Amino acid sequence: MVLSLENQAIDRIEQRLAEKIGARRFQLWFKNSARLDWDEQRLCVQVPNNWVGGWIENNFTNDITTAVQEATGLTPAIAFQVNTGLFPSVARTAETQANAKRVPSFVRERRAVEPVSAVTAPPIGGRRKLRYELDKFVVGSGNRMAYSAIRVVADQVTSRFNPLFIHGGCGLGKTHLLQGLCNELTRQHPNVGWKYVSGEEFTNQFIVAVKAGSLDAFRKQYRNVDVLVIDDVHFLANKRATQEEFLHTYNAIDAAGKQVVMASDAHPRLIGDLPESLVDRFISGMVVEVAPLDAATRRQILQVRATEYGIEIPDAVADRMSAAIEGNVRELEGAIMKLLAYSQLCGESVNMSIAERVIRECSRGRNAAVQLCDIEQRVAEFFGVTSGDIRCSKRTRLVASARAVAMYLARKHTPMSFPEIGRALGNKNHSTVVLACQKIEHALKADLEMAIDESVGGRSMRVSRVVETLEEQLGCSKSA
Ligand code: ADP
Ligand code: MG
């Protein structure tokens, strides 16, 4: 139980960390260059060499600390440990950099641990195993349609639902469904070739292939699959060259009668800055939404997680928690982790008083739980534009104001980093988000007005009033 709890904790810490520093930096510094582990009572950051350790310590210590606190409610010491067996290529190249840059040698060379056998889980039948399983997915009213459609693909490999496009807010199980599908395909149809990739990975691989002149190999790996699964496809918004390549890939697979499954945080029409040719293809099969879960489904998830951790949660506690933690499943999981961590710390079994403490903390942090999609939707409604307008590169005064307010509110009320906000709101550069936030802050200080309605001759309103009204609608306090 403890081991599984620790693994879950590391997963959650990594998720939090990725949210804070942005997926790209997380991939670079934590997925490709370091490994997090529990070492007795400490969080141990295993690094391949001093240079990487120094960089991580100088740049990410605060983020790691808050990620651990948010994910577990604990504040353990953070220790760095050199493990030369970890990512051997990084260890070698960095030696040269370390010599050139004279890094602090705070990282103690403790022991060269055996190479970590696999950062990702071992492959099944030669194919990698992804994190989520379909049979661990709890089906409720908000996700039944999406689940059923995924089941059909898992059972039949190809379906009438082609492409199958799943969209919905974050933390509602889209990635779980997509990865679960891949694992299920491996189990049921060992000879079927599938490929799971995120929109971001696809983009990065494409850029690397263009630079390296290896486009043929890049194309081949995508076009030779039976089922292509693309997560977070909204990442393609604004990326002209990648969109074109993706369209070719898509057409090739489609022409061969193969199945495509995609997930995105918005309906294809609302992703914004996607060419009509792609939107048309995305909606040409089946588009299905995953909606927030009802209390009964949340309760079931809570019980499933508790069983996984080998912990018993009394019925009354499960009722109370699932009624009180209304956000997405990720929030619910965070609350369960806290519940378990507190009960371990206090040396008590899970009880109502611990549950109340967790609920109080979760509601205190409720502002942090405001979802970007809610902000986007409210702001769009307020200004009379669409989410697509906010995400695209339109620069009319009204749309620019709406976009800037959305970015400002996202920065103030969510834990998202500038790059993440930019990416989520139509792949804007992180400096665009910084500038937008500065613009709104300046307007608030100088008590300026902004256009809120161009259809009736440019009605305007004080920026402070706009922000207050939206904060009220979103249920977040001004001081957050
Ligand atoms: P999304 O991709 O929609 O942002 P994820 O698939 O990453 O969301 O889900 C976030 C977390 O919630 C994951 O740990 C996932 O396993 C869990 N989760 C979401 N929906 C369900 C569900 N219906 N049953 C079980 N776990 C779920
Ligand atoms: Mg996802």
Side-chain angles (χ1 to χ4, degrees), residues 136-154:
K136 298 263 169 60
F137 191 81
V138 177
V139 184
S141 55
N143 59 31
R144 180 163 289 117
M145 283 276 284
Y147 174 81
S148 308
I150 285 283
R151 259 284 162 215
V152 171
V153 179

Side-chain angles (χ1 to χ4, degrees), residues 47 135 224 231 239 249 311 395 425 445 449 453 469:
V47 290
D135 58 13
N224 285 347
D231 204 352
K239 306 235 175 308
T249 305
I311 295 269
R395 294 235 172 87
L425 292 178
K445 271 195 201 117
E449 295 202 334
D453 191 349
T469 309

Side-chain angles (χ1 to χ4, degrees), residues 317 339 342 348 350-360:
V317 171
L339 194 68
Y342 286 161
E348 293 172 23
V350 172
N351 58 39
M352 202 54 126
S353 84
I354 298 179
E356 291 297 347
R357 185 172 158 197
V358 170
I359 290 166
R360 266 198 310 280

Side-chain angles (χ1 to χ4, degrees), residues 15 131-132 136-139 143 169-177 293 301 305 329-330 333:
Q15 257 175 28
R131 181 166 166 203
Y132 297 116
K136 298 263 169 60
F137 191 81
V138 177
V139 184
N143 59 31
C170 37
L172 293 181
K174 300 182 298 297
T175 297
H176 190 139
L177 283 172
L293 303 178
I301 291 178
R305 288 288 180 276
V329 184
R330 211 168 273 151
E333 287 180 338

